[in-house]
Amino acid sequence: MTQHLLSLWDFDKNELMAYIERAMILKYEAKDGSRHQTLTGKTIGMIFEKPSTRTRVSFESAMYGMGGQVIYLSGKDTQLSRNEPLKDMARVMSGYVDALVVRTFGQEIVDELAKYASIPVINALTDLYHPCQILSDIMTVLEHKKVPLADLHIAWVGDGNNMANTWIHAASRMGFELTLACPEGYEPEKTVLDEARLQAVKPITLTTDPREAVEEADIINCDVWASMGQEEEQVEREKIFQPYQVNSDLLSAAKDGALVLHCLPAHRGEEISDEVLEGEHCVAWDQAENKMHIHKAILEEHING
Ligand code: CP
Ligand code: NVA
């Protein structure tokens, strides 16, 4: 069976850790001059219906760096924009490339592509999940904290969006404590939370109070208040989310040595203050770099098996 990467929920702890451990090896060996040409002769197709800097460039760089090739297709470049059925696109692309990396709106779009493709489909962000991002974020946490994930308490402050949903999956599957502070009406997906809690070994707590979320946290995560596709809600969200800004005041309520994560792009002065983003607690730049190493590990695993 073709192995897709659509959601972290489809993997167990060992499988998720294997991506991270392989990415660390690839990263450290590359810094020592090794070139990992494990994808020579392979090609990926990248269908991106939303903008991207990091995910696009890091997947492309990962693929080229391992000897492979990339065909990038923006939303308007394919016949999908003229309503060609996804199941037809999936079967046609399966004859041309070795994997499809897809950034789009509904999760049902990647699910449908995966159902009909005979090649792996990798979710590079949907409205519901951003699985590849959370793997690079956890890799970054482990590099900095150097303790088992089970010993860490992770906080999410802000919108209950695709990133928050994916952190919930990760907490349940990988066994760490997670507290999310989201305004009323902006909670994570209820079915995701309910299902994850049923299988979690550590608490997954939802509050509306950002101070409560960060008090015991080793890691504080934030993300934009209006995700891609929610641009029309930006002004309204700016008002509602104001108390959820990750700034020096909120950080003073956290443990000493707490790390701040942001998947980027950041809106300074909204979800994060310039001072915190540029400060010593913030590891956003390491997260961004680690995306490339994680993408190498993902591509190797899913293309070479
Ligand atoms: N973090 C992230 O996915 O960034 P891009 O939207 O630039 O790909
Ligand atoms: N929640 C954000 C993540 C961007 C990487 C969005 O979907 O726009």
Side-chain angles (χ1 to χ4, degrees):
M1 200 178 86
T2 306
Q3 201 200 16
H4 306 292
L5 201 177
L6 304 175
S7 142
L8 296 188
W9 196 241
D10 301 332
F11 299 87
D12 65 25
K13 181 180 181 178
N14 291 339
E15 289 167 331
L16 296 175
M17 279 308 300
Y19 291 118
I20 294 170
E21 283 159 10
R22 178 63 182 154
M24 286 178 172
I25 290 170
L26 290 167
K27 176 176 177 176
Y28 306 140
E29 286 185 354
K31 291 203 192 295
D32 287 339
S34 296
R35 300 186 71 225
H36 304 94
Q37 298 294 290
T38 50
L39 293 171
T40 303
K42 305 288 184 182
T43 303
I44 59 168
M46 294 181 50
I47 303 173
F48 273 44
E49 300 193 297
K50 289 177 177 174
S52 170
T53 299
R54 282 146 287 271
T55 309
R56 174 184 173 175
V57 178
S58 59
F59 260 114
E60 292 200 17
S61 180
M63 195 61 192
Y64 287 124
M66 299 183 94
Q69 302 173 77
V70 179
I71 299 169
Y72 178 84
L73 299 160
S74 77
K76 62 180 184 327
D77 289 332
T78 74
Q79 297 285 8
L80 288 177
S81 65
R82 296 176 62 247
N83 295 327
E84 182 169 21
L86 289 163
K87 60 183 180 181
D88 295 1
M89 180 72 172
R91 286 174 289 183
V92 168
M93 291 299 285
S94 296
Y96 300 148
V97 297
D98 298 288
L100 268 185
V101 177
V102 183
R103 170 169 286 200
T104 187
F105 293 87
Q107 181 72 12
E108 67 282 359
I109 296 173
V110 289
D111 289 345
E112 175 89 351
L113 286 168
K115 185 173 169 192
Y116 288 95
S118 57
I119 52 170
V121 174
I122 295 165
N123 179 356
L125 182 146
T126 61
D127 293 344
L128 194 60
Y129 303 128
H130 197 1
C132 303
Q133 177 71 49
I134 270 57
L135 289 175
S136 41
D137 295 352
I138 293 174
M139 172 178 171
T140 310
V141 166
L142 291 173
E143 282 182 331
H144 281 270
K145 284 294 182 187
K146 301 186 196 319
V147 295
L149 267 178
D151 295 346
L152 293 171
H153 185 157
I154 298 190
W156 174 268
V157 179
D159 190 21
N161 61 15
N162 44 10
M163 287 285 297
N165 292 332
T166 313
W167 271 109
I168 291 169
H169 277 170
S172 182
R173 285 287 185 247
M174 301 180 89
F176 55 84
E177 183 163 4
L178 177 68
T179 303
L180 305 108
C182 309
E184 217 178 304
Y186 295 88
E187 295 88 358
E189 198 65 27
K190 187 175 181 317
T191 49
V192 170
L193 190 57
D194 290 347
E195 199 174 28
R197 275 175 167 161
L198 280 178
Q199 295 190 29
V201 291
K202 294 279 180 103
I204 302 177
T205 308
L206 182 60
T207 173
T208 53
D209 181 355
R211 291 187 97 81
E212 182 191 329
V214 304
E215 257 166 17
E216 298 298 324
D218 304 289
I219 311 293
I220 301 166
N221 267 286
C222 58
D223 185 17
V224 291
W225 289 338
S227 287
M228 289 179 276
Q230 298 174 330
E231 288 77 8
E232 284 176 8
E233 298 175 34
Q234 174 70 31
V235 175
E236 187 192 352
R237 282 171 175 260
E238 274 176 34
K239 286 182 221 138
I240 294 165
F241 282 86
Q242 213 59 56
Y244 294 80
Q245 185 184 78
V246 175
N247 52 30
S248 302
D249 182 45
L250 188 67
L251 212 50
S252 70
K255 278 187 189 169
D256 287 345
L259 297 179
V260 174
L261 268 66
H262 195 311
C263 64
L264 304 175
H267 291 185
R268 289 169 167 82
E270 292 179 29
E271 76 278 358
I272 191 164
S273 66
D274 182 61
E275 193 183 11
V276 170
L277 188 66
E278 300 292 348
E280 57 179 7
H281 293 270
C282 183
V283 294
W285 320 111
D286 294 337
Q287 288 172 259
E289 182 195 328
N290 284 340
K291 283 172 73 76
M292 184 183 71
H293 306 297
I294 279 288
H295 293 163
K296 283 184 174 174
I298 289 170
L299 291 169
E300 249 190 357
E301 171 62 24
H302 287 262
I303 294 174
N304 290 343

